[in-house]
Amino acid sequence: MANEVLVLTYSGCDTCRKALKWLEAHGVAHQVRPIVDAPPTVTELGQWIPRSGVSVRKWLNTSGQSYRALGKAKVDAASDAELVSWLAADGKLVKRPVLVTGSTVLVGFQPDAYARAFDGAR
């Protein structure tokens, strides 16, 4: 596992706060990047989406205002390339947090997935 851990978060997100608290409690050093101010780039998404093991549609924050503003019908009709472009343009459209380390990319926070990613983290 790479030494660098990047976590894209939104300060108003309870799930992000839980993920950061988990990382701190397990002694995992990490760098925080505000997802609204610095959303993932198209290039980053091109690398991270395949590494996450989930489709680009699973990267969408379907409970947020940005998603509702687009509308489900528009999102359903969009190509993957369009979705990546929208995710890169609006950090609030991205499901969060996004954790990137080594070959691992996790979208959302699931304690068991974090535990597997940091096997042996204390």
Side-chain angles (χ1 to χ4, degrees):
M1 177 98 12
N3 291 335
E4 293 194 23
V5 177
L6 174 65
V7 187
L8 284 76
T9 67
Y10 174 58
S11 61
C13 170
D14 287 338
T15 304
C16 294
R17 286 192 286 272
K18 288 176 188 174
L20 293 174
K21 189 173 184 177
W22 189 99
L23 291 169
E24 290 169 14
H26 291 85
V28 177
H30 56 279
Q31 176 186 2
V32 174
R33 180 165 125 193
I35 200 164
V36 174
D37 298 334
T41 65
V42 170
T43 301
E44 288 172 331
L45 289 166
Q47 297 168 359
W48 295 348
I49 291 170
R51 287 172 35 202
S52 73
V54 298
S55 74
V56 66
R57 292 179 188 280
K58 296 286 187 184
W59 280 67
L60 295 168
N61 175 15
T62 58
S63 63
Q65 289 180 339
S66 293
Y67 180 87
R68 287 193 300 273
L70 285 171
K72 184 177 181 337
K74 185 174 182 178
V75 171
D76 287 348
S79 68
D80 286 358
E82 285 176 302
L83 294 175
V84 167
S85 175
W86 295 344
L87 290 167
D90 183 357
K92 287 190 177 181
L93 188 57
V94 180
K95 183 174 184 176
R96 51 198 182 257
V98 175
L99 182 141
V100 181
T101 183
S103 62
T104 301
V105 177
L106 301 175
V107 182
F109 174 60
Q110 297 174 333
D112 57 334
Y114 273 49
R116 284 191 303 274
F118 299 102
D119 186 46
R122 299 171 200 241

